[in-house]
């Protein structure tokens, strides 16, 4: 187990360098002048030069990268935004809960829809229910999150007034300047983004669950259970479900990382102040520290999700449990 | 009363490509403590026959007719609830591949206990005691510790022992073994067969041994059914069948047996492939591969008729008695002389 964790840790460090170096390289390749943007429209060329020097932008890219790593190791800090000198750590600290609300809430939604529906359509392949769900699956897979988000927001928010059109409320009350707060308002504002996520991912997961349940039901040990006289319910609960959920857990771990990326569109549509929207505005302002900060944070999240998946997997499947 | 009596059993599957008549016209009767050997190559319908007997074919896809009497009780048409009571309690089944027949995420003990708890009104503790007990009986060493192991911690032979234990834990009267030794290596096969023989003596069960290994049949069975293309083509007492087989397919099977003292000579084989059940040949199912095929074989399925050699000996063949006697005697002489020459 310790060996496993040490190997994981090495991987994490390696992935961190790969992800951040690639970010710096991309930034170096694209034509941009963050100093000019940071200095503002009225700045003189001398001002811009001073800003450029101050931000180390007059240094070669590898030196800038060195400063970034040094800052991270020595000061445990991801640096400060080029644009408003706000600490990247506090930006991420502010944005991450919003994205986490979106991704995890969405995951709860899409799982609680797709697991039962997937199982039901696996039990009755080619039935009406199966055909209807497969049609929705096709729509869900084909549609873009921006389109789904806009349609939902227009229909339920603008036309029917059932939900807010957009916006976010803090889960924990007491933040200054907030227009609304508390769990109820939070959930009320998140419902459409969650449903957007649900439509996107439920499509894939219904298929995944359905395929896995059907495959498991044709396993020899399921026949053995029936030969023992087990009821269909018992066969399903004790023999099919756990075995068919193994691949779902793996895919879920990967998709939670992927969902961070998917959050970009959903957050933009519903005006949620999360990491996705932050990265878009940072990109528009050539704000390298913020972009790198989000990349580092997402990388760490993906690594942690994968670790959780591996541990869960070992718990679910005795064959790969480290003994 | 026989422990298991099957009359005119037929199973037809509805598939996307049409109706598949997997099995038809199977009849036999099996007494307490006796063993029935069922021989045939892949696709001959032997597994389907006994999945039907167990009520394990999916009624949504299969159409079943005939009669299956277990201790005189009709199984076909019995309610699912009644079938569940019977399966695993009165009739047990073990399968071909022990590597895939156990649930990989549950312990051996859990799976054995499950079989007990489904059929007996006992505590989990008592179920566990029975599980350890039966593991001891199938000769698994340190059974009180191994009961908590997972299937992947057992070898193939050990898993097949566990499967046998699971089928026997409720003391069934009939045990159906669907190629129980096919996936095992030869020494393990011998151990498993010996174990089954001993357990049969102790529990006085009736055993159906589905196999494609005539050696297994010769060793264990009292009666034999030879199946081909979903039909019974020969059925006899084991001694009669080996002494005086009555039709060309059985001749071929016996001729293809490897002989210890005939080293270096080629094994005889039956040319061609088993018939497709989706598109079976007209007439006798064996006619495309039969060396003695006549015009009538291509149009009419021969009736299952009684042989004069042996008491309850039946076979399907259009060849007349004289030709069959002559051909078998010639074949037999050739086999014997091959043995003698070696």
């Amino acid at each position: 187990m310790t060996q496993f964790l040490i190997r994981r840790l090495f991987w994490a460090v390696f992935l961190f360098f790969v992800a951040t170096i690639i970010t710096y390289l991309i930034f170096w390749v694209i034509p941009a002048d963050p100093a000019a943007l940071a200095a503002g429209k009225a700045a003189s060329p001398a001002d811009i030069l001073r800003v450029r020097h101050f931000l180390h932008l007059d240094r070669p890219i590898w030196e800038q990268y060195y400063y970034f790593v040094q800052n991270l190791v020595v000061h445990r800090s991801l640096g400060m935004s080029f644009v408003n000198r706000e600490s990247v750590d506090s930006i991420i600290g502010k944005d991450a809960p919003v994205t986490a609300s979106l991704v995890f809430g969405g995951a709860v939604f899409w799982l609680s829809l797709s697991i039962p529906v997937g199982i039901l359509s696996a039990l009755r392949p080619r039935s009406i229910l199966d055909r209807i769900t497969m049609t929705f699956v096709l729509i869900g897979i084909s549609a873009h999150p921006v389109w789904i988000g806009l349609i939902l927001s227009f229909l339920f928010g603008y036309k029917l007034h059932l939900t807010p059109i957009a916006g976010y409320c803090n889960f924990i009350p007491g933040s200054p300047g907030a227009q609304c707060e508390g769990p109820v308002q939070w959930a009320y504002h998140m419902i459409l983004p969650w449903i957007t996520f649900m439509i996107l991912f439920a499509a894939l997961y219904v298929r995944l669950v359905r395929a896995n349940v059907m495959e498991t039901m044709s396993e020899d040990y399921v026949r053995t259970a029936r030969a023992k006289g087990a009821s269909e319910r018992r066969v399903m609960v004790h023999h099919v479900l756990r075995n068919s959920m193994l691949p779902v857990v793996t895919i879920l771990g990967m998709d939670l990382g992927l969902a961070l990326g998917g959050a970009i569109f959903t957050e933009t549509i519903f005006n949620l102040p999360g990491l996705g929207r932050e990265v878009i505005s940072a990109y528009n302002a050539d704000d390298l520290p913020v972009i790198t900060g989000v990349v580092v944070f997402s990388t760490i999240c993906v690594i942690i999700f994968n670790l959780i998946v591996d541990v869960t997997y070992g718990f679910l499947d005795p064959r790969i449990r480290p003994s | 009363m026989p422990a298991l009596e099957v009359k005119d059993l037929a199973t037809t599957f509805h598939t996307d490509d049409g109706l598949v008549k997997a099995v038809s016209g199977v009849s036999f009767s099996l007494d307490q403590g006796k063993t029935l050997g069922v021989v045939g190559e892949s696709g001959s319908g032997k597994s389907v026959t006994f999945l039907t007997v167990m009520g394990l074919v999916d009624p949504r896809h299969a159409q079943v007719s005939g009669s299956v009497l277990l201790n005189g009780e009709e199984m076909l048409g019995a309610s699912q609830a009644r079938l569940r009571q019977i399966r695993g309690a009165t009739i047990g089944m073990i399968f071909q591949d022990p590597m895939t027949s156990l649930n990989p995420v549950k312990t051996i003990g859990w799976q054995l206990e499950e079989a007990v708890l489904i059929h007996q009104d006992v505590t989990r503790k008592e179920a566990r005691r029975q599980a350890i007990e039966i593991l001891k009986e199938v000769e698994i060493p340190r059974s009180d510790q191994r009961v908590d192991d997972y299937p992947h911690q057992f070898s193939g032979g050990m898993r097949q022992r566990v499967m046998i234990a699971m089928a026997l834990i409720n003391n069934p009267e009939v045990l159906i073994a669907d190629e129980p030794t096919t996936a095992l290596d030869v020494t393990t096969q011998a151990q498993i067969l010996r174990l089954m023989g001993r357990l049969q003596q102790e529990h006085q069960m009736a055993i159906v041994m589905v196999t494609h290994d005539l050696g297994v049949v010769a060793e264990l069975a009292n009666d034999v059914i030879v199946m081909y293309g979903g039909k019974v083509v020969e059925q006899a007492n084991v001694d009669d069948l080996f002494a005086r087989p009555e039709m060309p397919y059985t001749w071929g099977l016996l001729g293809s047996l490897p002989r210890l003292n005939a080293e270096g000579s080629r094994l005889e084989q039956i040319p061609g492939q088993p018939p497709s059940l989706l598109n079976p040949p007209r007439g006798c199912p064996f006619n495309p591969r039969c060396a003695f095929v006549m015009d009538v074989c291509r149009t009419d399925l021969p009736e299952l008729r009684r042989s004069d050699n042996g008491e309850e000996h039946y076979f399907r063949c259009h060849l007349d008695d004289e030709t069959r006697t002559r051909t078998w005697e010639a074949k037999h002489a050739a086999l014997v002389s091959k043995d003698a020459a070696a």
Side-chain angles (χ1 to χ4, degrees):
Chain A
M1 193 67 191
T2 9
Q3 202 192 354
F4 170 77
L5 284 177
I6 289 169
R7 212 164 46 217
R8 274 299 157 133
L9 215 62
F10 271 108
W11 255 114
V13 173
F14 176 72
L15 276 179
F16 162 81
F17 280 112
V18 170
T20 49
I21 287 174
I22 288 175
T23 314
Y24 267 78
L25 282 179
I26 290 171
F27 201 76
W28 178 62
V29 169
I30 55 171
D33 190 0
L37 282 165
K41 280 209 178 91
S44 67
D47 289 337
I48 292 176
L49 268 180
R50 221 171 33 246
V51 169
R52 189 168 294 154
H53 179 73
F54 180 70
L55 296 176
H56 299 304
L57 287 168
D58 51 351
R59 307 314 239 153
I61 191 76
W62 62 266
E63 215 176 305
Q64 292 182 41
Y65 185 70
Y66 172 76
Y67 284 130
F68 159 72
V69 175
Q70 190 196 35
N71 199 18
L72 191 65
V73 174
V74 179
H75 303 290
R76 308 261 162 85
S77 155
L78 285 164
M80 278 183 272
S81 161
F82 284 169
V83 179
N84 55 11
R85 306 304 295 157
E86 194 182 347
S87 136
V88 174
D89 298 18
S90 83
I91 292 178
I92 288 174
K94 207 167 65 215
D95 295 347
V98 181
T99 303
S101 306
L102 179 61
V103 171
F104 290 111
V108 169
F109 264 63
W110 88 61
L111 286 179
S112 49
L113 178 81
S114 48
I115 291 178
V117 173
I119 291 170
L120 282 177
S121 46
L123 285 178
R124 292 272 176 275
R126 299 184 206 184
S127 64
I128 303 282
L129 172 86
D130 188 33
R131 280 165 207 266
I132 291 172
T133 39
M134 283 301 116
T135 311
F136 274 103
V137 161
L138 198 67
I139 294 169
I141 286 177
S142 317
H144 193 273
V146 169
W147 181 80
I148 297 174
L150 284 173
I151 293 286
L152 287 177
S153 172
F154 175 77
L155 201 66
F156 294 101
Y158 180 71
K159 281 281 179 196
L160 299 171
H161 303 290
L162 289 173
T163 61
I165 294 167
Y168 180 75
C169 295
N170 277 326
F171 183 81
I172 299 156
S175 43
Q179 296 194 323
C180 55
E181 55 192 22
V184 176
Q185 281 296 317
W186 169 77
Y188 180 57
H189 280 80
M190 288 306 286
I191 189 108
L192 283 187
W194 284 337
I195 291 175
T196 309
F197 254 68
M198 183 179 79
I199 294 173
L200 278 178
F201 283 94
L204 287 165
Y205 276 72
V206 168
R207 277 187 79 112
L208 187 71
V209 170
R210 177 180 182 267
N212 278 308
V213 168
M214 282 175 85
E215 199 186 302
T216 312
M217 282 205 299
S218 64
E219 290 284 352
D220 287 347
Y221 53 80
V222 171
R223 188 183 55 187
T224 305
R226 293 210 174 97
K228 281 198 272 189
S231 62
E232 281 309 300
R233 193 191 142 82
R234 171 170 268 282
V235 167
M236 201 64 209
V237 173
H238 289 288
H239 296 277
V240 175
L241 277 189
R242 183 150 153 203
N243 281 294
S244 57
M245 281 309 127
L246 291 173
V248 178
V249 170
T250 315
I251 308 279
L252 181 66
M254 297 203 292
D255 279 353
L256 284 177
L258 203 73
L260 289 173
I264 291 176
F265 299 110
T266 318
E267 283 174 7
T268 311
I269 292 300
F270 292 103
N271 201 21
L272 304 172
L275 291 171
R277 217 189 54 174
E278 194 71 61
V279 101
I280 292 284
S281 62
Y283 169 77
N284 286 331
D286 290 329
D287 198 346
L288 180 61
V290 175
I291 296 174
T292 320
V294 174
V295 166
V296 168
F297 181 76
S298 315
T299 310
I300 292 170
C301 285
V302 170
I303 290 167
I304 290 174
F305 290 148
N306 281 326
L307 192 69
I308 292 173
V309 166
D310 284 343
V311 173
T312 318
Y313 214 94
F315 174 73
L316 284 173
D317 188 346
R319 281 168 295 185
I320 58 160
R321 200 173 290 167
S323 51
Chain B
M1 184 173 57
L4 180 63
E5 191 172 13
V6 170
K7 279 183 210 145
D8 209 24
L9 186 74
T11 308
T12 307
F13 290 106
H14 307 279
T15 71
D16 290 340
D17 300 317
L19 288 181
V20 172
K21 227 174 170 183
V23 172
S24 62
V26 177
S27 301
F28 64 86
S29 134
L30 177 62
D31 287 326
Q32 200 73 57
K34 297 281 195 235
T35 302
L36 173 73
V38 181
V39 213
E41 53 202 292
S42 311
S44 60
K46 48 197 197 316
S47 291
V48 171
T49 304
F50 292 97
L51 286 174
T52 310
V53 168
M54 291 289 287
L56 286 177
V57 294
D58 192 336
R60 279 175 294 173
H61 303 132
Q63 198 180 319
V64 176
S65 67
S67 159
V68 173
L69 296 173
L70 185 67
N71 279 331
E73 184 183 345
E74 180 60 57
M75 298 275 287
L76 298 187
S79 71
Q80 281 299 319
R82 179 68 190 137
L83 281 177
R84 281 201 298 272
Q85 280 179 356
I86 292 167
R87 278 202 293 261
T90 319
I91 186 166
M93 187 161 184
I94 55 182
F95 299 99
Q96 179 172 348
D97 192 351
M99 306 309 271
T100 55
S101 294
L102 290 162
N103 188 337
V105 303
K106 304 276 190 185
T107 63
I108 295 299
W110 189 93
Q111 298 185 55
L112 288 164
E113 286 159 28
E114 183 184 37
V116 175
L117 293 171
I118 288 170
H119 296 289
Q120 301 176 31
D121 190 19
V122 294
T123 60
R124 193 159 266 280
K125 211 174 147 197
E126 163 61 15
R128 188 182 158 84
R129 192 197 62 74
Q130 289 189 24
I132 295 171
E133 189 68 24
I134 195 87
L135 284 178
K136 226 172 265 171
E137 207 174 327
V138 296
E139 295 159 17
I140 289 193
R142 295 186 296 113
S143 55
D144 51 333
Q145 290 159 42
R146 307 262 8 215
V147 72
D148 293 320
D149 282 352
Y150 288 93
H152 71 276
Q153 291 162 299
F154 285 73
S155 69
M158 285 298 200
R159 287 190 216 184
Q160 197 58 294
R161 284 168 194 270
V162 172
M163 286 299 293
I164 293 172
M166 198 139 72
L168 295 189
I169 200 163
N170 291 311
N171 231 331
E173 283 158 58
V174 179
L175 175 69
I176 294 171
D178 187 359
E179 308 210 25
T181 57
T182 305
L184 306 173
D185 64 69
V186 183
T187 35
T188 317
Q189 281 185 12
Q191 291 168 4
I192 294 290
L193 290 176
R194 206 174 310 128
L195 174 71
M196 290 182 68
R198 178 171 70 72
L199 293 170
Q200 180 176 31
Q201 294 259 304
E202 286 166 16
H203 295 254
Q204 276 303 302
M205 325 170 263
I207 293 185
V208 175
M209 181 68 81
V210 179
T211 177
H212 55 241
D213 186 343
L214 281 172
V216 171
V217 168
E219 196 171 325
L220 287 181
N222 303 100
D223 294 312
V224 190
I225 290 178
V226 180
M227 291 191 75
Y228 189 85
K231 297 194 169 57
V232 173
V233 290
E234 187 154 1
Q235 184 165 3
N237 175 283
V238 69
D239 297 328
D240 295 336
L241 187 99
F242 279 91
R244 185 64 170 79
E246 288 283 15
M247 57 90 62
Y249 178 62
T250 319
W251 297 340
L253 279 184
L254 288 175
S256 66
L257 267 185
R259 277 155 196 277
L260 261 189
N261 44 6
E263 203 182 321
S265 64
R266 265 187 90 84
L267 285 179
E268 269 184 56
Q269 56 174 15
I270 306 172
Q273 299 289 322
S276 147
L277 290 173
L278 200 60
N279 194 8
R282 256 172 72 91
C284 173
F286 190 56
N287 81 57
R289 303 169 74 185
C290 185
F292 310 94
V293 62
M294 304 176 293
D295 284 344
V296 64
C297 305
R298 297 205 175 90
T299 51
D300 296 329
L301 173 70
E303 291 297 313
L304 197 64
R305 58 183 164 128
R306 200 186 191 112
S307 156
D308 300 330
N309 303 297
E311 226 171 279
E312 292 278 320
H313 191 166
Y314 299 90
F315 67 100
R316 281 183 206 274
C317 193
H318 284 305
L319 288 173
D320 60 75
D321 290 352
E322 196 208 335
T323 317
R324 277 184 294 102
T325 310
R326 195 156 26 84
T327 319
W328 169 247
E329 275 166 6
K331 272 193 169 285
H332 186 67
L335 288 174
V336 170
S337 73
K338 220 187 253 177
D339 283 1

